[in-house]
Amino acid sequence: MKNLTIWVILGLTLTFLIGPFIIIIFAGASAGEALAFPPDGLSLKWYFKVFTIESFRDSFLLSMFLAIFGTLTALLLGIPAAYALNRYDLPGNETIRTIVAAPIIVPGIIVGLALLRYLVIPLDFTVTLALFMAHTALVLPYAVRVVSSSLNNLRADMEEAAVLLGCTRMQAFMKVVLPNIRGGVLAAFILGFVTSFNQVPVSLFLSGPGVRTLPIDMLAYMEITYDPSVAALSALLAFMSLAIVFIAERLLGFSRYV
Amino acid sequence: MSDKYVRLSDLTLSYGKTVAVPNLNLDVVEGELIALLGPSGCGKTTTMRAIAGLLTPTSGAIEIDGRDVTRLAANKRGIGLVFQSYALFPHLSAFENVAFGLRLKNMADAEVRSRTEAGMATVGLAGFEARKPAEMSGGQQQRVALARSLVMEPKVLLLDEPLSNLDARLRLEMRTELQRVQKDTGVTMVFVTHDQSEALALADRIVLMKDGKIEQLGTPSQLYAEPATAFAAEFMGFENIFRVEGENLVSNSGQLRLGFAASSSMLAWRPGGVHVGQGPFSGRVVASSFAGGHREYVFDCQLGEIKADAPIETAEVPLGQSIAFDLPQSTARPLLA
């Protein structure tokens, strides 16, 4: 009896976690014209159609650009920040950590509105630049946190040893610290990439004509055209995320860092 | 040979507002093996880090080989340091760990190779070049750390608790190894330890430190036989230390009338220096244990607890029984304070 309860709970959990994903895959593989489940016959035509929709192509490229360069920028800022927070007993260390974590805590929609109201409108920032800044800020907390936990496992005397063997502090960082935290850096990159790519609330306010991230573009598309291509695209994106995480897990045991 | 090869003058070292070492003066002779000995917090590691350049002195000067290096960056001092944790680079092979410093010198590849191989051979690790630190034992890792410093031909080699992470057998092996390396290379070595037996066995001279100051400096035999203070005596195994007041020995628990006139303010006896079995004093046995060549007693008397070693030939005195003993002048060590 107890066993049965456990199986029921497990079954329900999995159904609600994976169920929507399966529904999307099949809804996208419909032979019909409208988004429906169960699908109206099976066909891959919507999966191919996705690649011919021009706005999806543009917004996909924008999302990719934001995810890759936003995350790289966040790492460029986050790695030195994590290093400084770890190695030096700075005044206000905890305050800085909290501020760095703020973009996760503050609702994205507020960040989006704030950037629109105070950067884009009065200062004439382009929407792309504002989006780039927003995504960088959003990924920064992950970069700092994941890199910090790698640095915690790295003893400071290793750097001192490198310095005594002739390294400058910078060389010691590049030759000794960086190679030993590269797993954490890669993990932070993947986490940041996925976070940025799937980001909706911040981007909602920062989309203009011709400048939309992919998730926003999909929302906009569905308001006008209720066909299965959105489901097909969603399924493709889910597979892409899965593939990235799977490869990362295989290459460096991603789950150790997150 | 300079007898002021490493020279610390009026060296004051502090962490923030806490002064760890006030006004230290010490000369290290070229080619000697000198030990900084003391309990944790005595400033020995701080002093070592200052010599290495990892800590900037608050005041005072550090000279090495006649050159003032007080403000010289750590990576320009040419000093080797074998860390207690070894601090090997986990992403590099043993070979690349040893070659690390040489590669920074823009040295030709062939020379890096030959010097690294020679360095690995010196510490008996030929054949282990491809191993990663994680695939080596603690003793092997320490040898890699030693070779990594030695190939740089440092002016001074510093060692932080070199034997403390090794088991008893490896300790002996490494001790011999360090002495051999020092004899072969002639490098000046300064090592830090809290273990007096390590310092006694390895060092040419011992600097006993307490609260950031030098308590006593001398050869191992000097320190062992003639500790000057109660602190030094305690470190060197004098377990019975008492004040002298007039003709009496005084402790916190009471006093005992001495059989001879003492000129110092304190007297100390090793457990082996206490005569057991006969004498003017008596105590009650509270602990007794067999230690191979002798029997270790603890007994209670007017002075409190006394630790004494009795020859194994003497009959065992059971717990609770009274025992006669003497604190003879011949084995007493007079102390300053």
Side-chain angles (χ1 to χ4, degrees), chain B:
Chain B
M1 283 292 215
S2 160
D3 55 0
K4 295 181 175 73
Y5 192 69
V6 178
R7 175 147 230 219
L8 310 180
S9 334
D10 300 326
L11 197 63
T12 298
L13 307 169
S14 21
Y15 295 105
K17 289 204 165 83
T18 321
V19 177
V21 175
N23 212 41
L24 183 79
N25 287 283
L26 177 67
D27 292 334
V28 178
V29 179
E30 187 173 2
E32 82 171 328
L33 214 173
I34 195 165
L36 303 181
L37 172 68
S40 64
C42 74
K44 58 188 193 299
T45 306
T46 309
T47 306
M48 188 192 67
R49 290 176 63 82
I51 298 174
L54 296 172
L55 182 76
T56 310
T58 311
S59 64
I62 302 171
E63 277 172 49
I64 293 170
D65 199 9
R67 181 174 172 212
D68 186 338
V69 298
T70 317
R71 304 285 149 193
L72 192 66
N75 60 341
K76 304 246 187 312
R77 285 196 192 183
I79 287 181
L81 173 54
V82 177
F83 287 82
Q84 186 175 9
S85 65
Y86 316 140
L88 296 180
F89 310 131
H91 63 298
L92 298 176
S93 66
F95 182 92
E96 285 305 326
N97 264 283
V98 177
F100 189 89
L102 299 175
R103 291 207 191 282
L104 289 168
K105 287 184 162 182
N106 291 324
M107 198 177 273
D109 224 36
E111 199 184 343
V112 171
R113 178 155 291 279
S114 71
R115 282 175 67 167
T116 304
E117 278 167 0
M120 303 242 352
T122 307
V123 297
L125 278 183
F128 286 88
E129 283 84 358
R131 296 269 188 100
K132 286 276 177 69
E135 300 159 359
M136 306 179 94
S137 71
Q140 288 167 338
Q141 289 184 33
Q142 188 171 39
R143 284 157 194 268
V144 174
L146 184 60
R148 182 175 69 176
S149 292
L150 281 176
V151 292
M152 301 301 288
E153 293 169 0
K155 290 197 174 81
V156 180
L157 182 61
L158 308 170
L159 302 119
D160 190 5
E161 303 273 0
L163 305 179
S164 66
N165 285 349
L166 305 175
D167 62 40
R169 192 182 56 81
L170 272 174
R171 262 165 190 261
L172 194 68
E173 205 178 293
M174 201 63 204
R175 208 162 74 187
T176 325
E177 183 89 3
L178 284 174
Q179 284 172 323
R180 187 181 59 75
V181 164
Q182 201 242 356
K183 202 163 147 253
D184 290 354
T185 59
V187 65
T188 307
M189 286 191 191
V190 179
F191 80 101
V192 156
T193 182
H194 65 275
D195 180 344
Q196 80 281 10
S197 64
E198 209 171 295
L200 289 169
L202 202 51
D204 297 322
R205 283 198 303 159
I206 295 173
V207 182
L208 181 65
M209 293 182 73
K210 181 194 177 191
D211 302 332
K213 299 191 182 94
I214 296 178
E215 184 80 359
Q216 194 173 353
L217 195 161
T219 63
S221 53
Q222 277 171 351
L223 237 72
Y224 187 79
E226 297 156 14
T229 62
F231 177 80
E234 209 172 328
F235 232 86
M236 292 297 144
F238 287 83
E239 298 196 56
N240 309 300
I241 303 173
F242 305 104
R243 293 193 302 279
V244 177
E245 281 175 15
E247 296 189 329
N248 293 324
L249 273 185
V250 183
S251 76
N252 292 335
S253 357
Q255 51 184 22
L256 207 61
R257 198 177 165 80
L258 257 180
F260 57 92
S263 54
S264 62
S265 62
M266 291 187 106
L267 285 174
W269 286 267
R270 290 180 193 284
V274 180
H275 280 186
V276 184
Q278 50 181 311
F281 315 125
S282 78
R284 194 173 51 83
V285 177
V286 293
S288 156
S289 65
F290 177 68
H294 60 271
R295 181 171 295 280
E296 294 177 354
Y297 283 110
V298 178
F299 43 78
D300 219 12
C301 66
Q302 293 97 309
L303 286 170
E305 285 193 343
I306 291 211
K307 290 187 177 134
D309 294 347
I312 207 67
E313 300 80 40
T314 54
E316 187 187 349
V317 180
L319 286 183
Q321 298 290 305
S322 102
I323 189 167
F325 70 95
D326 190 13
L327 295 170
Q329 187 171 19
S330 59
T331 57
R333 170 65 199 163
L335 302 174
L336 294 172

